[in-house]
Amino acid sequence: MNISILAAGAGGMYCGSCMRDNALAAALKRQGHAVTLVPLYTPLRTDAPAASIPDVFYGGVNVYLQHSTRLFRHTPRALDSVFDRPWLLNFAGRLGSQTPPDKLVGLTLDVLEGEDGHATKELHRLVEFLRADVKPQLVSLPNLMFIGMARTFARELGVPVVCELTGEDIFLDAMNETDREQVRQVIRERCGDVTRFVATSHYYAGRMAEYLGVPRDRIDVIYTGISREYFAPRSAPSAERAPTVGYLARICMEKGLSRLIDAFLLLRNMAGMGGVRLKVAGYLGPRDEKWFAALCKRADAAGASQAIEHVGEVDRDGKLSVLDSIDVFSVPTAYPESKGIYVLEAMARGVPVVQPAHGSFPELIALTGGGVLTPPGDAQALAAALAGLLGDRDRRQELGRKGRAAVESNFTDERMAERMLKVYEAAMGEGGEGQRGEGTKGRRGES
């Protein structure tokens, strides 16, 4: 099959959705399919060899200029290409990631309106590239923010369009109520242009079915898969190492690091837990620097600063090193997570997880047996669960074995590609029903 997968870059930052799309494209290529992974907004940064083409479409700078200034809607490609330089796109992307969603409503609507928005020049350039150079049989969109492209793809390329649902709710929910409803209405009007939707968990499929106003059976569920590199033999822990809790995700309020710090301070006061350490790794953006500094100050005031190690942003090797140096893993998100890639990565290294009972976490832990759940936002319960595992080596190892075996069997990038291919085949078999806006009905994807 000849597939075009569009992926939205994150301004030079590691991004779970980018890594998922890159892993999917690479796995489909290994299975013999022709796959063109097209970066949108900014180049993709992943922790594996890039499977994407070098050119960026819908460059973030050009999209913003065309949204804000009439002049740039008519400039020649020779000038536009100046603003598509990778370093500039990454710089602008990082600045844009610090902008509150309620300040981006106009730009969001512009992109959602597709051929009726102000970024039509970028849309036409992408269509011509796909038509002339790729000739895909199917196009996959990275998230709802690009649903405005679907109508043009279906009409101009004559192909089915699949739209992934990967965690847009965080951005959408941060808008004020009036803007949120306006954006939702535009998205709902465009749902008929999409043949199939694909969510990363059953939790998120249910939430998005309600948000989009589409039948639940129109949304397939394909869990994220991780590469075989995660199943390499684990480094033997040092006999002198103190019991260690690990956090590996973006360092921000949404991912719940403050909740973990609260639990960690309680944990250190429990019997036998005075020597426990916390290792924190992940990207820290300018928006969250003051917040993180305040967290560190709070830990220092509690006399725990020396027990907390901040590793910073890590690549694939660094990630494996962190996971191999901890005993229990936790990212107690403040919001219901749609994917939970880091949970699967920890389990793949044989590390049991302690997660809040919301979002995708209950189903991931039910399917793997690799961890325990706690009430969301309950620092005392989180501390107790961490203490329970740190103090029970046999249970910790049993959960680690179960989690690793389940991930290796059912949550690899190869399995993800096999399941996604079935969705693509079903979309092609449904013809143009989705594009006519009649809604589609097909089998639910494997999970």
Side-chain angles (χ1 to χ4, degrees):
M1 187 182 295
N2 185 351
I3 307 156
S4 288
I5 299 175
L6 311 186
M13 297 179 287
Y14 287 119
C15 160
S17 294
C18 296
M19 290 190 284
R20 179 179 187 272
D21 291 333
N22 191 78
L24 173 62
L28 286 169
K29 287 180 180 181
R30 291 195 299 271
Q31 293 176 8
H33 301 282
V35 181
T36 306
L37 182 60
V38 182
L40 305 176
Y41 284 165
T42 75
L44 308 183
R45 186 184 181 196
T46 71
D47 61 356
S52 60
I53 62 173
D55 294 331
V56 176
F57 288 79
Y58 262 74
V61 177
N62 275 309
V63 169
Y64 175 77
L65 291 173
Q66 290 163 32
H67 158 72
S68 59
T69 307
R70 185 183 300 272
L71 170 66
F72 285 97
R73 298 167 200 166
H74 306 285
T75 49
R77 178 60 197 161
L79 177 59
D80 295 345
S81 64
V82 173
F83 300 111
D84 280 343
R85 294 174 181 176
W87 69 268
L88 179 59
L89 291 174
N90 284 334
F91 175 75
R94 292 212 176 197
L95 286 179
S97 68
Q98 310 307 315
T99 305
D102 61 355
K103 303 295 184 184
L104 297 172
V105 175
L107 182 60
T108 299
L109 288 169
D110 238 3
V111 176
L112 286 173
E113 288 168 353
E115 69 283 354
D116 298 322
H118 291 142
T120 53
K121 186 168 58 169
E122 298 304 308
L123 178 58
H124 292 155
R125 175 175 169 250
L126 177 55
V127 168
E128 285 308 310
F129 166 73
L130 295 176
R131 178 169 26 221
D133 295 1
V134 181
K135 301 178 178 62
Q137 295 172 275
L138 177 143
V139 175
S140 177
L141 305 178
N143 55 58
L144 281 179
M145 300 299 100
F146 296 95
I147 197 171
M149 299 177 175
R151 186 175 303 168
T152 299
F153 288 157
R155 182 182 65 244
E156 299 296 327
L157 303 177
V159 298
V161 179
V162 169
C163 181
E164 296 192 33
L165 306 170
T166 61
E168 306 88 335
D169 55 333
I170 304 172
F171 178 81
L172 295 168
D173 289 349
M175 297 177 181
N176 65 57
E177 184 176 356
T178 301
D179 292 335
R180 191 164 60 240
E181 271 309 305
Q182 184 181 8
V183 168
R184 182 182 188 180
Q185 185 59 38
V186 173
I187 290 174
R188 283 189 165 198
E189 290 170 355
R190 295 275 176 166
C191 284
D193 304 328
V194 172
T195 312
R196 299 291 303 175
F197 292 96
V198 177
T200 50
S201 63
H202 284 284
Y203 150 74
Y204 202 58
R207 176 164 191 193
M208 285 292 102
E210 187 279 329
Y211 178 88
L212 298 172
V214 302
R216 172 60 183 82
D217 65 1
R218 199 177 155 199
I219 304 177
D220 296 279
V221 173
I222 307 295
Y223 291 110
T224 297
I226 61 177
S227 72
R228 289 288 175 183
E229 281 77 5
Y230 282 94
F231 305 106
R234 177 172 175 165
S235 304
S238 168
E240 301 176 355
R241 177 171 63 75
T244 305
V245 177
Y247 170 101
L248 179 54
R250 189 160 61 92
I251 296 174
C252 62
M253 292 178 281
E254 297 87 346
K255 294 293 184 182
L257 181 57
S258 61
R259 298 181 176 191
L260 184 58
I261 295 291
D262 290 341
F264 181 70
L265 297 180
L266 293 171
L267 175 65
R268 282 171 53 83
N269 289 320
M270 293 180 175
M273 294 291 141
V276 173
R277 298 183 60 82
L278 173 63
K279 183 170 286 191
V280 176
Y283 170 76
L284 174 62
R287 184 201 69 172
D288 298 298
E289 287 176 349
K290 290 184 179 179
W291 167 82
F292 182 62
L295 276 185
C296 294
K297 188 174 182 179
R298 176 147 56 91
D300 185 49
S305 61
Q306 296 302 310
I308 301 175
E309 179 184 359
H310 177 214
V311 179
E313 188 177 36
V314 292
D315 58 12
R316 170 75 63 79
D317 290 340
K319 189 182 295 185
L320 296 180
S321 178
V322 168
L323 293 173
D324 287 354
S325 68
I326 64 176
D327 300 288
V328 181
F329 179 90
S330 183
V331 178
T333 58
Y335 67 94
E337 166 69 65
S338 64
K339 295 186 289 293
I341 299 174
Y342 38 76
V343 167
L344 298 175
E345 291 171 340
M347 289 180 184
R349 301 305 288 171
V351 181
V353 305
V354 179
Q355 292 297 116
H358 62 191
S360 63
F361 302 137
E363 58 195 274
L364 290 178
I365 288 177
L367 289 167
T368 61
V372 298
L373 297 168
T374 62
D378 189 334
Q380 187 68 53
L382 176 56
L386 293 171
L389 288 181
L390 290 171
D392 189 341
R393 181 178 179 181
D394 289 344
R395 183 169 181 237
R396 196 170 66 238
Q397 291 183 339
E398 177 63 17
L399 291 178
R401 283 193 292 270
K402 285 183 178 179
R404 180 183 172 97
V407 173
E408 190 169 14
S409 174
N410 292 310
F411 293 90
T412 65
D413 51 6
E414 296 292 337
R415 292 287 284 158
M416 173 175 63
E418 291 167 2
R419 291 163 175 163
M420 189 66 81
L421 190 62
K422 292 182 179 180
V423 174
Y424 294 160
E425 291 169 345
M428 292 181 67
E430 289 172 9
E433 290 183 22
Q435 286 77 26
R436 290 198 299 270
E438 300 168 359
T440 58
K441 184 177 181 179
R443 66 179 184 273
R444 182 177 298 182
E446 293 181 59
S447 59

